[in-house]
Amino acid sequence: MHKSKGNHSRSSKYQNKKSNKRKDKEPQAETAEDCFNKLSLEEEHLQLPEDYRYQIDVPFPVTMWDLGQCDPKKCSGRKLSRLGLIKTLHLGQRFNGIILSPIATNCVGPQDREIIEEHGVAVVDCSWACLEQTPFKKMKGQHLRLLPYFVATNPINYGKPCSLSCVEALAAVFCITGFRELAESYLMQFKWGHTFLSVNEELLSSYSSCSSSAEVLAVQSKYLKELEEERNAEKGEIDWPSSGESSEEEEEEEKEDVT
């Protein structure tokens, strides 16, 4: 009995193994988790950067004139182009949206939202060291705009005022015109991107709450004045009396000496 049970047991195990093999050969539907893991392994094998996983819905044209003056490995505009988040324009090509340019006379403001929604925004990808050689007049358009004061947080110009990279400039104009989520999505593509928002949060909030370019400039002027006052206070600057004048304490001391 004992032996027969043992033989029966071995026989059932053998049958189970055969049935398991048949089941293994049968195709099974992949779960969502399996698909995700499979894609993750494929990305790892292809060594794709993590930011390729982000899919951003850009509701209007985002473009740039690339003059090839920057290091391709450090250029934020080039990276946005590789990710399909910005299109390149040719010199002489006209753009009907908002163009961020240092030769503009008007400042960007919340009122430019409608123009951006309809026609988009463009930046100039050039080196800050080569501004004099940059042919800005060949970047044609009707809506040229300046950006107000911001502090750069990109690795090349960290801490420098107004020396923004392409992605920082785009994020700034997105925030000012009411596209905050889009600004965050673009900056998310860079390890240092979130720093731009945190460092400039006060300015971004103030500019976006304005109703016109004039108000944006007024906010900028007030901020720069307060910044200068803070710097002077840190330096310990005191309004000393000019030569030939005596302070009240010195006058009191002179009176005491006389008496």
Side-chain angles (χ1 to χ4, degrees):
M1 271 308 267
H2 219 46
K3 193 172 181 180
S4 64
K5 285 183 178 178
N7 291 336
H8 178 71
S9 176
R10 284 195 297 271
S11 175
S12 62
K13 285 181 180 179
Y14 176 73
Q15 290 176 356
N16 288 337
K17 285 182 179 179
K18 289 182 67 176
S19 62
N20 287 337
K21 286 182 179 179
R22 286 197 298 270
K23 288 180 180 179
D24 291 340
K25 290 181 180 179
E26 295 178 359
Q28 296 181 357
E30 288 186 334
T31 64
E33 183 177 0
D34 292 334
C35 294
F36 177 82
N37 292 333
K38 184 178 179 181
L39 289 172
S40 299
L41 289 172
E42 289 176 356
E43 287 183 356
E44 184 177 355
H45 175 69
L46 296 172
Q47 295 182 345
L48 291 175
E50 186 178 353
D51 43 32
Y52 271 85
R53 299 177 187 176
Y54 298 115
Q55 294 184 354
I56 303 173
D57 181 21
V58 186
F60 45 75
V62 179
T63 62
M64 71 173 179
W65 283 278
D66 183 7
L67 302 182
Q69 299 173 350
C70 304
D71 185 343
K73 295 180 180 179
K74 301 177 181 179
C75 179
S76 66
R78 291 282 185 90
K79 181 172 182 179
L80 292 177
S81 179
R82 292 194 299 270
L83 295 174
L85 296 176
I86 197 168
K87 294 182 179 179
T88 303
L89 299 171
H90 303 290
L91 286 178
Q93 185 175 349
R94 186 176 183 82
F95 184 71
N96 294 324
I98 296 296
I99 300 173
L100 300 179
S101 171
I103 66 170
T105 55
N106 295 324
C107 180
V108 69
Q111 78 283 349
D112 291 318
R113 179 184 175 92
E114 293 183 3
I115 298 175
I116 291 178
E117 283 182 322
E118 186 172 356
H119 301 292
V121 61
V123 294
V124 181
D125 189 355
C126 64
S127 171
W128 285 100
C130 303
L131 287 181
E132 294 182 0
Q133 294 81 29
T134 303
F136 290 107
K137 291 184 179 180
K138 291 186 178 181
M139 303 164 199
K140 300 178 180 180
Q142 183 179 356
H143 307 293
L144 273 63
R145 295 289 187 271
L146 290 166
L147 277 176
Y149 180 89
F150 288 106
V151 176
T153 62
N154 63 77
I156 298 176
N157 293 312
Y158 184 87
K160 295 182 180 180
C162 304
S163 300
L164 307 187
S165 63
C166 286
V167 69
E168 288 174 315
L170 288 171
V173 72
F174 290 160
C175 286
I176 292 174
T177 54
F179 299 99
R180 173 77 183 217
E181 290 185 3
L182 187 60
E184 293 174 353
S185 296
Y186 268 65
L187 289 169
M188 191 186 298
Q189 310 306 315
F190 301 83
K191 293 180 180 179
W192 49 267
H194 67 282
T195 311
F196 179 76
L197 296 177
S198 59
V199 169
N200 296 282
E201 186 59 52
E202 180 183 350
L203 288 171
L204 289 168
S205 177
S206 298
Y207 293 150
S208 61
S209 64
C210 296
S211 60
S212 65
S213 296
E215 287 188 17
V216 170
L217 291 175
V219 169
Q220 172 186 259
S221 180
K222 181 182 179 182
Y223 180 85
L224 292 177
K225 184 178 180 181
E226 292 175 351
L227 188 63
E228 184 178 2
E229 291 175 352
E230 289 177 4
R231 288 173 178 171
N232 291 339
E234 290 176 358
K235 292 178 181 178
E237 293 186 0
I238 303 174
D239 294 331
W240 297 103
S242 60
S243 58
E245 295 181 358
S246 59
S247 65
E248 293 181 0
E249 292 182 358
E250 290 175 344
E251 291 177 356
E252 290 294 332
E253 290 178 357
E254 291 175 359
K255 289 180 181 179
E256 291 177 358
D257 291 340
V258 172
T259 56

